[in-house]
């Protein structure tokens, strides 16, 4: 425990009741959590299987697991319950599924699967409407609002449609023996509430809980924590009210307010020493966040010295901003002999990335776009992968439903609903249920025929997929399902071409992989989930500038940050007029500032091109709130327009100078 400050040591050793650790940005919260887990097991005789640490992302869980692996033996570390809220929910529901009328092998539907159901029940294919309906239903689920209660809460046409769809959506999921991501939290709450004996079993199993990023919990997650800890209140919640930026997806900062009221013995420890940023950066962050109403007073400080001033640049327009940022980044990198991965360009919304991408490509600067869609997440790849998953495991119900309905082959939603209900009663997979005589009696012959035809096709292809090389089986599969025709029938020609090209690329890659490794299609399918042929973002050694939204950048840090588009209407967002939303936008600015370790460059446009016209812009109020003492302003109407030739010449001169120094 060497190198810990007094507050960190206190947080690790405190076991006299519930504990809230208010961990400011860069204050070493992950170290506190991992060291506390080691302390519980090694010094306090807790069995590792009785200790659970809950995070919000798989990446955070993996990082925590790796850190703990360095503090204790692998055999002990592997017994710890380190997972996301959703993974914990899956574990609980797999074990207790029968209590709520599910089979243990229930399916978990992703966003696309769920959108398909909502599309059917709401009778719309409009993607924007579907996203909106999904969001409304998800927020109701996270707030523990039932379909019946939702009907009483509606206040506009979208909510009326969502409430109508919600009831049918839930019924369809249950019929399919499936859960969505929200159910993985909501159903354990229902389970523990309705079955006290099961709640007690899990309270005894998970005797100490540690929750990371507690400020991001929603009402549902809070209930899981409360139900699991019970009267003992043996937990440590680690969070930061100044970084609560996920209100739009259901996170409830009220959960922080509830803790002292619902757990009167709650101890609060503040971690205010920052190990990431310079004094100048922290001063600006503290100044900004001081304008919010505070739940708990907290002020970050650092021993890393003052560092560089913060640079704020007014730019003529979008293009000038992108060009200026790229030139400054290049010059700064050459001057400091840094790497591309030391730099991040952060923005409020995804659409802001496009102009920066163009300029980065023009200058041949490598970059990674955070949150970009993985190749394997494309709908057409998931369609084909569904067939491969089903060939490998006929009990994979989500794959069955996707493959059976894409392309359409006469198997309707009504048939699948009856099949799902029957499979649930019999506790068998959809595939197995389709062959049973009991199911045949529940549907008409015209419904049964296409279903059996599909299942028999899968059976025939299974034998080949297990024994023959991939390059022999896959082309026949694509031809048999006639996927190319399906795309051209359902999409505009250009979109169909792109999607079919992706399918061909995927097939060629699988064929090549099969030939190189001597693997069958089944062998390859089992490893697809572990392979991401296009995702360089997992490669920490990849030297590239990071482009990211502020939301996606939370929890990360970069030596040098360019925070762009800091304007009224963007940050804060134009739809954030009420005080609560302004406070969340201010917290978003705070998150952006505190990502920077050594230098921070902020820019805004005086006018911004939207469609074919220029819209005048005002600098964000948050720039003034930073204070002016350590801020250097440049650009604006009084400054001459940047001369690209001069800038490039300056850059070339710098490169030449550096080249000369290396000789």
């Amino acid at each position: 425990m060497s190198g810990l400050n007094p507050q960190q040591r206190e947080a690790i050793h405190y076991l006299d009741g519930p504990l809230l650790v208010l961990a400011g940005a860069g204050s070493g919260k992950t170290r506190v959590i991992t060291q506390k887990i080691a302390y519980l097991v090694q010094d306090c005789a807790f069995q590792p299987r009785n200790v659970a640490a809950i995070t919000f992302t798989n990446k955070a869980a993996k990082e925590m697991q790796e850190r703990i692996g360095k503090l204790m033996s692998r055999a002990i570390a592997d017994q710890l319950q380190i997972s996301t809220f959703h993974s914990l929910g899956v574990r609980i529901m797999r074990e207790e599924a029968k209590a709520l009328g599910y089979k243990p092998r229930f399916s978990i539907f992703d966003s696309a699967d769920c959108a398909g159901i909502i599309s059917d029940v709401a009778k719309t294919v409009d993607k924007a409407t579907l996203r909106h309906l999904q969001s409304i239903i998800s927020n109701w689920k996270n707030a523990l609002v039932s379909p019946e209660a939702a009907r009483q809460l509606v206040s506009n046409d979208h909510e009326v449609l969502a409430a109508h769809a919600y009831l049918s959506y839930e019924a369809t999921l249950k019929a399919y023996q499936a859960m969505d991501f929200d159910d993985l939290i909501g159903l354990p709450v229902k389970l523990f509430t309705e079955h006290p004996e099961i709640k007690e079993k899990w309270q005894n199993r998970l005797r100490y809980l540690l929750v990371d990023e507690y400020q991001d919990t929603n009402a549902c997650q809070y209930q899981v924590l409360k139900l699991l800890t019970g009267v003992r209140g043996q937990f440590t919640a680690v969070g930061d009210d100044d970084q609560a930026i996920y209100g739009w997806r259901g996170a409830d900062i009220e959960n922080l307010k509830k803790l002292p009221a619902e757990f009167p013995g709650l101890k609060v420890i503040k971690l205010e020493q920052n190990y990431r940023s310079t004094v100048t950066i922290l001063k600006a962050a503290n100044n900004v966040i001081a304008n919010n109403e505070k739940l708990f007073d907290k002020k970050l400080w650092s021993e890393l010295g003052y560092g560089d001033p913060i640079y704020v640049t007014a730019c003529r327009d979008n293009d000038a901003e992108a060009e200026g940022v790229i030139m400054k980044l290049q010059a700064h990198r050459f001057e400091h002999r840094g790497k591309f991965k030391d730099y991040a360009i952060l923005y409020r919304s995804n659409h802001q990335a496009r102009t920066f991408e163009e300029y980065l490509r023009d200058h041949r600067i490598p970059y990674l776009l955070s949150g970009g869609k993985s190749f394997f997440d494309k709908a057409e790849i998931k369609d084909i992968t569904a067939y491969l998953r089903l060939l490998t495991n006929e009990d994979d119900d989500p794959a069955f439903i996707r493959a059976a309905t894409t392309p359409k082959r006469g198997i309707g939603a009504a048939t699948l609903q009856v099949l799902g209900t029957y499979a649930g009663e019999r506790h068998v997979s959809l595939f197995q249920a389709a062959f049973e005589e009991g199911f045949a009696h529940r549907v008409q012959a015209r419904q049964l025929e296409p279903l059996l035809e599909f299942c028999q096709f899968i059976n025939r292809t299974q034998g080949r997929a297990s024994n023959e090389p991939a390059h022999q089986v896959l082309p026949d599969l694509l031809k048999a399902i006639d996927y190319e025709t399906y795309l051209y029938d359902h999409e505009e020609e250009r979109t169909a071409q792109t999607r079919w090209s992706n399918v061909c690329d995927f097939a060629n890659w699988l064929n090549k992989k099969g030939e190189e490794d001597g693997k069958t299609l089944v062998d390859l399918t089992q490893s697809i989930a572990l392979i991401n042929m296009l995702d360089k973002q997992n490669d920490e050694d990849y030297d590239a500038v990071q482009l990211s939204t502020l939301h996606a950048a939370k929890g990360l840090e970069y030596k040098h940050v360019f925070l762009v588009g800091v304007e009224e209407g963007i940050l804060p967002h134009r739809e954030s007029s009420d005080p609560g939303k302004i406070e969340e936008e201010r917290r978003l600015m705070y998150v952006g500032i505190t990502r920077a370790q050594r230098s921070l460059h902020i820019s805004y446009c005086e006018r911004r091109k939207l469609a074919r016209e220029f819209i005048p812009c005002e600098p964000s109020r948050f720039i003034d709130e930073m204070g002016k003492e350590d801020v250097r302003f440049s650009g604006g109407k009084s400054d001459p327009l940047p001369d690209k030739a001069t800038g490039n010449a300056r850059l070339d001169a710098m490169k030449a100078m550096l080249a000369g120094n290396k000789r």
Side-chain angles (χ1 to χ4, degrees):
M1 296 217 184
S2 62
L4 294 165
N5 65 42
Q7 290 77 25
Q8 289 173 326
R9 274 197 293 275
E10 187 184 9
I12 290 165
H13 292 142
Y14 186 82
L15 290 176
D16 292 339
L19 171 66
L20 172 62
V21 180
L22 287 169
S27 62
K29 67 179 177 68
T30 306
R31 189 179 184 194
V32 167
I33 293 171
T34 52
Q35 292 277 5
K36 184 155 192 169
I37 291 170
Y39 176 68
L40 287 165
V41 174
Q42 294 172 338
D43 298 290
C44 304
F46 274 81
Q47 293 298 315
R49 65 179 177 275
N50 297 142
V51 178
I54 305 172
T55 69
F56 271 82
T57 65
N58 289 319
K59 185 181 175 185
K62 188 181 173 188
E63 184 190 342
M64 201 174 286
Q65 193 83 51
E66 285 171 355
R67 288 206 194 184
I68 289 168
K70 294 173 183 174
L71 299 175
M72 56 182 75
S73 73
R74 186 63 185 263
I76 294 173
D78 285 347
Q79 295 178 55
L80 296 163
Q81 309 292 318
I82 299 173
S83 67
T84 63
F85 268 105
H86 292 93
S87 299
L88 177 63
V90 171
R91 194 154 67 247
I92 294 168
M93 291 311 301
R94 290 279 185 222
E95 194 167 321
E96 314 294 351
K98 286 182 182 177
L100 292 182
Y102 288 88
K103 59 179 182 178
R105 289 188 305 183
F106 61 83
S107 303
I108 301 168
F109 279 9
D110 64 16
S111 181
D113 294 323
C114 297
I117 297 172
I118 293 172
S119 176
D120 287 339
V121 300
K123 296 185 171 44
T124 179
V125 292
D126 182 71
K127 287 181 180 176
T129 302
L130 284 173
R131 279 197 300 271
H132 197 39
L133 293 178
Q134 269 187 287
S135 175
I136 294 170
I137 292 171
S138 178
N139 285 338
W140 279 333
K141 284 191 162 193
N142 288 327
L144 295 169
V145 175
S146 68
E148 294 75 20
R151 294 193 167 194
Q152 308 303 314
L153 297 174
V154 296
S155 59
N156 57 52
D157 290 346
H158 269 296
E159 287 184 357
V160 170
L161 182 59
H164 176 74
Y166 187 10
L167 192 64
S168 301
Y169 171 70
E170 288 289 85
T172 306
L173 279 178
K174 190 69 185 282
Y176 286 167
Q177 285 287 294
M179 299 178 193
D180 62 18
F181 272 32
D182 298 321
D183 288 330
L184 300 178
I185 314 292
L187 288 176
V189 171
K190 181 179 169 72
L191 178 77
F192 293 153
T193 306
E194 294 178 359
H195 299 274
E197 72 287 359
I198 295 176
K199 178 181 73 174
E200 192 177 344
K201 179 179 108 178
W202 282 88
Q203 285 177 346
N204 289 328
R205 185 178 296 183
L206 304 178
R207 300 189 71 83
Y208 200 96
L209 261 67
L210 301 101
V211 183
D212 193 13
E213 304 287 6
Y214 177 76
Q215 77 283 347
D216 294 336
T217 55
N218 58 38
C220 211
Q221 289 158 338
Y222 177 75
Q223 285 303 318
V224 169
L225 173 67
K226 196 175 164 188
L227 288 162
L228 277 173
T229 55
V231 292
R232 289 197 304 265
Q234 287 288 81
F235 68 85
T236 295
V238 182
D240 182 8
D241 51 325
D242 291 334
Q243 296 186 75
I245 59 173
Y246 291 112
W248 53 276
R249 70 178 188 197
D252 192 352
I253 199 167
E254 290 294 314
N255 291 346
L256 276 165
K257 293 180 185 176
K258 285 178 188 173
L259 276 181
E262 298 198 6
F263 295 92
L266 182 76
K267 171 93 169 167
V268 179
I269 297 173
K270 299 174 190 176
L271 303 184
E272 296 172 294
Q273 184 174 358
N274 174 286
Y275 296 92
R276 175 189 298 161
S277 307
T278 63
V279 171
T280 299
I281 290 167
L282 292 182
K283 196 190 292 184
N286 286 330
N287 288 344
V288 169
I289 207 67
N291 291 276
N292 272 5
E293 251 186 74
K294 304 288 281 187
L295 290 178
F296 305 93
D297 282 327
K298 181 173 80 289
K299 201 167 185 177
L300 295 182
W301 59 277
S302 168
E303 293 180 340
L304 298 177
Y306 266 81
D308 296 340
I310 295 169
Y311 296 95
V312 175
T313 305
C315 306
R316 185 173 78 258
D317 54 34
N318 322 38
D319 283 314
E321 182 181 40
E323 185 179 340
V325 165
I326 300 323
M327 286 180 65
K328 281 176 188 165
L329 189 154
Q330 283 268 59
H332 191 280
R333 177 176 165 267
F334 280 116
E335 187 178 344
H336 296 272
R337 303 191 181 189
K339 295 180 176 177
F340 285 119
K341 65 180 180 182
D342 295 337
Y343 296 83
I345 300 171
L346 307 181
Y347 37 81
R348 173 65 176 80
S349 302
N350 276 310
H351 68 84
Q352 293 171 258
R354 186 180 57 80
T355 311
F356 291 94
E357 282 193 82
E358 288 172 1
Y359 276 88
L360 286 163
R361 282 199 297 267
D362 286 348
H363 287 81
R364 297 192 173 131
I365 297 173
Y367 68 90
L368 291 174
L369 189 64
S370 179
K373 185 177 269 193
S374 160
F375 184 78
F376 289 99
D377 285 335
K378 295 180 186 293
E380 59 273 21
I381 304 304
K382 291 178 81 168
D383 287 344
I384 304 306
T385 304
Y387 281 88
L388 304 185
R389 283 163 48 191
L390 196 56
L391 292 173
T392 305
N393 173 20
E394 67 267 21
D395 292 334
D396 187 333
D397 285 358
F400 180 94
I401 290 164
R402 190 166 190 135
T405 55
T406 313
K408 300 280 187 195
R409 51 174 52 82
I411 303 169
T415 307
L416 287 173
Q417 199 159 342
V418 176
L419 181 66
T421 303
Y422 178 81
E425 292 168 2
R426 294 272 296 121
H427 302 292
V428 297
S429 69
L430 298 175
F431 190 90
Q432 186 179 330
F435 289 104
E436 292 194 359
E437 197 173 330
F439 169 68
H441 290 306
R442 295 194 185 187
V443 291
Q444 297 175 18
R446 61 179 176 80
Q447 292 174 291
L448 185 62
E449 189 180 341
L451 187 64
L452 286 178
E453 193 177 311
F454 168 71
C455 293
Q456 286 158 359
F457 164 72
I458 295 296
N459 269 337
R460 287 195 304 275
T461 313
Q462 269 181 323
R464 292 189 62 196
S466 302
N467 298 304
E468 297 177 29
H471 70 271
Q472 291 179 8
V473 184
L474 195 55
D476 291 347
L477 174 68
L478 291 173
K479 190 176 177 182
I481 66 175
D482 204 11
Y483 193 76
E484 185 179 10
T485 303
Y486 161 76
L487 287 176
Y488 280 91
D489 285 347
H490 288 80
E491 304 281 1
E492 293 178 2
E493 187 174 357
R494 185 176 289 183
T495 305
Q497 278 177 345
T498 303
R499 292 183 67 186
W500 179 243
S501 173
N502 287 336
V503 171
C504 293
D505 287 347
F506 179 53
N508 290 336
W509 174 73
L510 277 175
N511 291 338
K512 187 180 173 187
K513 195 85 181 152
E515 287 189 69
E516 286 174 354
D517 301 345
K519 288 184 174 180
T520 65
L521 198 54
V522 165
D523 295 331
L524 288 171
T525 303
Q526 289 170 332
S527 59
I528 281 177
L530 305 172
I531 303 167
N532 196 332
M533 69 184 187
L534 295 180
D535 192 5
K536 290 176 179 167
Q537 295 183 46
N538 293 330
D539 183 0
E540 291 181 3
D541 294 327
Y542 187 59
D543 191 22
V545 175
Q546 184 72 52
L547 267 64
S548 174
T549 63
L550 288 165
H551 286 100
K554 185 170 164 289
L556 303 174
E557 57 188 42
Y558 308 94
K559 285 182 182 175
H560 312 287
V561 167
F562 288 85
L563 185 50
V564 302
V566 187
E567 299 148 28
E568 291 291 315
I570 295 181
L571 184 65
H573 196 273
R574 63 181 177 276
E575 293 176 8
S576 308
S577 53
D578 68 75
K581 286 183 176 176
I582 281 289
E583 289 206 345
E584 181 153 325
E585 292 291 300
R586 187 173 283 115
R587 291 194 290 269
L588 200 53
M589 179 74 175
Y590 175 85
V591 165
I593 294 170
T594 54
R595 297 313 92 197
Q597 295 174 301
R598 295 184 189 172
S599 75
L600 176 62
H601 303 256
I602 292 170
S603 58
Y604 66 91
C605 296
E606 293 182 325
R607 59 176 193 168
R608 188 168 285 275
K609 195 171 185 179
L610 293 171
R612 295 188 176 183
E613 58 178 332
F614 283 98
I615 309 294
C617 304
E618 293 293 325
S620 169
R621 68 193 76 182
F622 304 147
I623 292 175
D624 276 343
E625 290 176 3
M626 290 193 308
K628 294 191 172 134
E629 188 182 346
D630 302 308
V631 180
R632 303 289 179 267
F633 295 88
S634 64
K637 294 182 177 71
S638 58
D639 276 22
L641 294 179
D643 181 345
K644 189 173 180 179
T646 304
N648 285 338
R650 195 183 300 131
L651 202 56
D652 289 340
M654 198 173 292
K655 288 179 185 177
M657 181 185 74
L658 286 170
N661 289 341
K662 287 177 184 176
R663 291 192 191 105

